[in-house]
Amino acid sequence: MDMDRDSEHVVHVPAGPVTLEGNLSLPSDARGLVLFAHGSGSSRHSPRNRYVAGRLNEANLAAFLIDLLTAEEERIDQVTAELRFNIGLLADRLVGVTDWLGASPETSGLRLGYFGASTGAGAALVAAAERPDQAAAVVSRGGRPDLAAHALPRVRAPTLLVVGGADKQVIALNRSALAALHCEKELAIVPGATHLFEEPGALDEVAGLASRWFLRHLISDRSASTS
């Protein structure tokens, strides 16, 4: 399954001195919007994130997969790996994209959630802390919430941490982060799954968990009652 290609288009977002490129899939009856923050060494073309985005589209949720680094920065990072762990930079850009989505006529009426993978989850949680009135939900897939340790107590958005059952070190990091969060929160462990959820059915389980979490928290009472 992939994103809804009929409703998908490339969007350019100004972020300070750079312009970021993303793919926005916006179903005509979208009832919420999920902004993706991919992990280290990945991109908006990640087949795992695109699969999850497709599942969200099926649930009438818009999905925005964006590269938080420019093409030139990606080339540098492939050699040095220095930018993928710069959570401050990534979170700042995620906040900028959040503000842009809030001002865009296409998306301003939709409640926003973050889906962060690996290091992207750290950036998503920092952004959620910085924009508490805009971030309505967070889902972390195999995430590194420990990279957002300073921001975790300030996160107000309901947060779901999803970890593979065989990803022991990351489970420990997520348990510690869960204790530091003071919002509605949950830790979901997918049995037998490793860090990338490559096992049969594992990514499908992640997509199902994410869809249910976002539907629960992004759809307002008013939109639910008019459906």
Side-chain angles (χ1 to χ4, degrees):
M1 184 184 306
D2 208 340
M3 294 168 68
D4 184 349
R5 294 191 183 279
D6 293 335
S7 65
E8 183 182 353
H9 56 283
V10 175
V11 177
H12 295 91
V13 180
V18 303
T19 298
L20 306 176
E21 191 168 283
N23 291 64
L24 175 64
S25 58
L26 188 65
S28 58
D29 53 354
R31 301 167 72 189
L33 169 65
V34 178
L35 174 55
F36 282 68
H38 61 75
S40 56
S42 186
S43 77
R44 71 183 192 278
H45 302 297
S46 158
R48 288 177 291 277
N49 281 349
R50 287 184 64 83
Y51 177 82
V52 174
R55 287 284 299 274
L56 296 179
N57 289 163
E58 282 194 339
N60 295 332
L61 294 170
F64 192 26
L65 278 71
I66 190 163
D67 289 330
L68 297 176
L69 299 177
T70 65
E72 177 60 28
E73 288 170 338
E74 289 280 7
R75 281 191 286 272
I76 294 170
D77 190 62
Q78 289 297 323
V79 177
T80 65
E82 65 189 45
L83 295 175
R84 66 187 66 179
F85 291 104
N86 189 337
I87 301 302
L89 171 67
L90 299 178
D92 283 348
R93 291 187 177 176
L94 205 54
V95 166
V97 176
T98 299
D99 293 344
W100 183 89
L101 290 169
S104 170
E106 269 193 313
T107 53
S108 61
L110 299 173
R111 298 190 77 196
L112 175 74
Y114 294 123
F115 182 95
S118 190
T119 52
L125 286 161
V126 173
E130 293 296 322
R131 289 293 184 269
D133 294 330
Q134 291 165 273
V138 178
V139 174
S140 163
R141 169 180 67 81
R144 291 289 308 277
D146 56 298
L147 297 175
H150 67 286
L152 293 179
R154 295 188 290 115
V155 174
R156 287 178 14 199
T159 299
L160 172 65
L161 307 175
V162 185
V163 188
D167 201 5
K168 301 300 185 185
Q169 183 177 2
V170 174
I171 288 176
L173 294 173
N174 276 258
R175 287 195 192 280
S176 296
L178 190 74
L181 287 165
H182 300 317
C183 54
E184 180 182 345
K185 58 190 177 180
E186 187 175 322
L187 174 64
I189 297 177
V190 179
T194 51
H195 187 62
L196 296 179
F197 297 90
E198 296 175 306
E199 294 71 25
L203 192 60
D204 194 56
E205 178 68 16
V206 172
L209 288 164
S211 293
R212 290 189 291 274
W213 192 262
F214 286 129
L215 286 171
R216 178 174 156 193
H217 296 290
L218 297 189
I219 297 179
S220 66
D221 292 339
R222 183 178 64 82
S223 65
S225 64
T226 57
S227 61

